[in-house]
Amino acid sequence: MHLSDNSAAESAAAPGPVADWIRRAPKAVLHDHLDGGLRPSTIIELARDCGYGELPTEDPEALALWFRDAADSGSLERYLETFVHTCAVMQTREALFRVAAECAEDLAADGVVYAEVRYAPEQHQERGLGLDEVVDAVNEGFREGERRAGGRITVRALLTGMRHTRRSLEIAELTVAHRDRGVAGFDIAGGEIGNPPADHLPAFQYLKRHNCHFTIHAGEAVGAESVHEAVQVCGAERIGHGVRITDDIQVQDDGTAVLGHLAAYVRDNRIALEVCPTSNLQTGAAKHYATHPIDLLHRLGFRVTLNTDNRLVSGTTMSREFQHMADAFGYGPEVFERFTVAAVESAFLPLPERRRIIGEVIRPGYAALG
Ligand SMILES: O=c1[nH]cnc2c1ncn2[C@@H]1O[C@H](CO)[C@@H](O)[C@H]1O
Ligand SMILES: [Zn+2]
């Protein structure tokens, strides 16, 4: 039993078996952090290679459990502290290439056919890499992973600016510079409290001027006002998490819901919510799978997508997120097909590519589930 003040919440406990149809179903993930999804064995090998001596353990299984338990804290800030160990071993071209290639392979092995994987280039410069070198190394790794997976997955990068640093404009410029070479858009992440998205307005205005896609983490540790700022002040096309939009929804005694103007705007404009249930349980944004707002949002017609956030840190995969939602809400293939199509419709890809993935991969994949 780990020490945590999250005892009132359901912990992101050891997952049970995943149904065969869930494994086979085609999946799309829009919200997956590169530095939150390393293989534990890779972290241990890279740490040895680069002389990083601060890992909590050198046993791969124990390390996986350490991440999940340390992150299961009820606080986003403590969840994020665990990333010090993954970023520490991602400081060379070789390490970034390997981690990116393995990320694409692991996602493909889980049935993911389209992935947008994000990371903060500024966090990979401790050993002297330039920002362009970081982006090139990760992109080459993604291309290698796609090849190893036999072309069963398409991966695009999102470049993240950290909300507690002041480099977001620089990272926005980097995004535009690399957008036709594997980078699909921009994001900001990091501790939400005290770091409102509007602090990064110059970055968002630059992206808008250059017709470049971006999403913003909002409504995770801070309430609906953060979603409002992300959508209406900054102009986000999608919202990372966004689950606290429920602050602006009143559920009446008879079960009907009344949407405030913000919630109505987000729903009616089809702004995708990148929902990550297990991560929300760990950071305290939700208490239980069975009461997670995803189901209310889905029933009210929001554009809901289902995501991993951090496969290592949250001890999850797309299949496991599907299984948790199937267990909690009785969802069958029709609901997951809807989430998956919604994800690709909101992908930062050209429309013909989105249509191709939906028409040639996702629809036939679900039809074949029988
Ligand atoms: O759910 C989240 N909310 C906010 N920030 C996050 C979350 N998951 C990861 N990161 C942050 O994003 C950085 C770049 O990938 C990570 O290093 C981590 O600090
Ligand atoms: Zn995230």
Side-chain angles (χ1 to χ4, degrees):
M1 185 64 201
H2 60 94
L3 293 174
S4 117
D5 63 1
N6 201 20
S7 47
E10 182 176 357
S11 76
V18 169
D20 181 56
W21 69 267
I22 288 180
R23 285 202 187 288
R24 289 189 290 120
K27 303 165 193 82
V29 61
L30 299 180
H31 192 132
D32 184 273
H33 292 256
L34 183 67
D35 53 328
L38 287 74
R39 295 177 187 170
S41 54
T42 297
I43 301 180
I44 292 162
E45 286 175 34
L46 292 176
R48 283 191 197 131
D49 292 349
C50 71
Y52 178 68
E54 309 291 318
L55 287 185
T57 161
E58 294 211 353
D59 174 71
E61 279 179 29
L63 188 60
L65 288 176
W66 181 88
F67 273 102
R68 205 187 65 205
D69 284 354
D72 195 13
S73 60
S75 133
L76 175 60
E77 275 67 25
R78 264 174 291 151
Y79 181 92
L80 297 179
E81 282 169 16
T82 63
F83 287 77
V84 65
H85 298 297
T86 57
C87 288
V89 303
M90 296 169 70
Q91 299 298 335
T92 62
R93 288 187 58 88
E94 296 72 25
L96 289 166
F97 176 89
R98 174 174 175 179
V99 169
E102 291 178 354
C103 167
E105 273 187 293
D106 293 351
L107 290 170
D110 190 36
V112 175
V113 298
Y114 178 70
E116 288 178 10
V117 179
R118 62 188 76 194
Y119 64 99
E122 66 192 80
Q123 298 190 133
H124 305 283
Q125 296 194 289
E126 285 168 20
R127 294 191 185 214
L129 288 180
L131 291 173
D132 292 302
E133 289 178 297
V134 171
V135 175
D136 288 340
V138 171
N139 283 342
E140 284 163 26
F142 285 150
R143 301 293 79 75
E144 170 66 15
E146 287 170 340
R147 266 195 299 278
R148 288 183 201 163
R152 279 176 293 118
I153 186 169
T154 301
V155 182
R156 293 290 177 268
L158 303 184
L159 304 187
T160 294
M162 297 305 294
R163 47 206 317 161
H164 62 281
T165 69
R166 288 291 165 265
R167 296 186 67 182
S168 52
L169 178 57
E170 198 185 347
I171 304 305
E173 290 166 355
L174 188 71
T175 305
V176 170
H178 286 266
R179 70 169 143 191
D180 295 323
R181 290 176 287 135
V183 172
F186 175 87
D187 162 51
I188 57 165
E192 195 174 2
I193 296 170
N195 296 301
D199 285 359
H200 302 275
L201 212 46
F204 302 124
Q205 287 170 342
Y206 178 87
L207 293 161
K208 286 254 172 218
R209 274 203 303 281
H210 290 82
N211 307 299
C212 190
H213 295 295
F214 61 91
T215 175
I216 297 179
H217 277 76
E220 180 184 19
V222 178
E225 68 272 24
S226 139
V227 178
H228 178 260
E229 195 171 303
V231 172
Q232 304 297 15
V233 179
C234 303
E237 289 167 77
R238 305 192 317 227
I239 296 294
H241 300 289
V243 286
R244 295 196 48 185
I245 189 80
T246 50
D247 294 356
D248 197 40
I249 301 173
Q250 299 289 329
V251 180
Q252 324 273 64
D253 290 343
D254 67 359
T256 56
V258 179
L259 273 61
H261 290 121
L262 171 67
Y265 186 95
V266 168
R267 180 190 65 180
D268 298 348
N269 285 285
R270 321 306 296 132
I271 295 175
L273 303 175
E274 304 161 358
V275 181
C276 312
T278 299
S279 167
N280 291 162
L281 263 52
Q282 290 173 298
T283 63
K287 279 221 182 309
H288 307 280
Y289 289 115
T291 54
H292 192 284
I294 190 171
D295 190 52
L296 175 68
L297 295 167
H298 163 61
R299 285 187 285 112
L300 290 175
F302 282 80
R303 183 169 283 186
V304 168
T305 70
L306 186 60
N307 299 273
T308 48
D309 206 14
N310 295 287
R311 285 168 290 116
L312 170 68
V313 176
S314 290
T316 195
T317 60
M318 279 302 286
S319 288
R320 286 183 193 160
E321 294 301 311
F322 273 38
Q323 186 67 57
H324 284 307
M325 296 300 96
D327 294 344
F329 303 114
Y331 292 163
E334 333 70 56
V335 178
F336 295 122
E337 181 172 359
R338 211 155 135 191
F339 290 167
T340 309
V341 168
V344 180
E345 283 177 339
S346 295
F348 292 160
L349 277 180
L351 186 63
E353 286 181 51
R354 289 184 228 164
R355 287 192 172 143
R356 185 193 64 76
I357 294 172
I358 293 170
E360 295 178 16
V361 185
I362 293 168
R363 297 290 187 206
Y366 276 90
L369 292 179

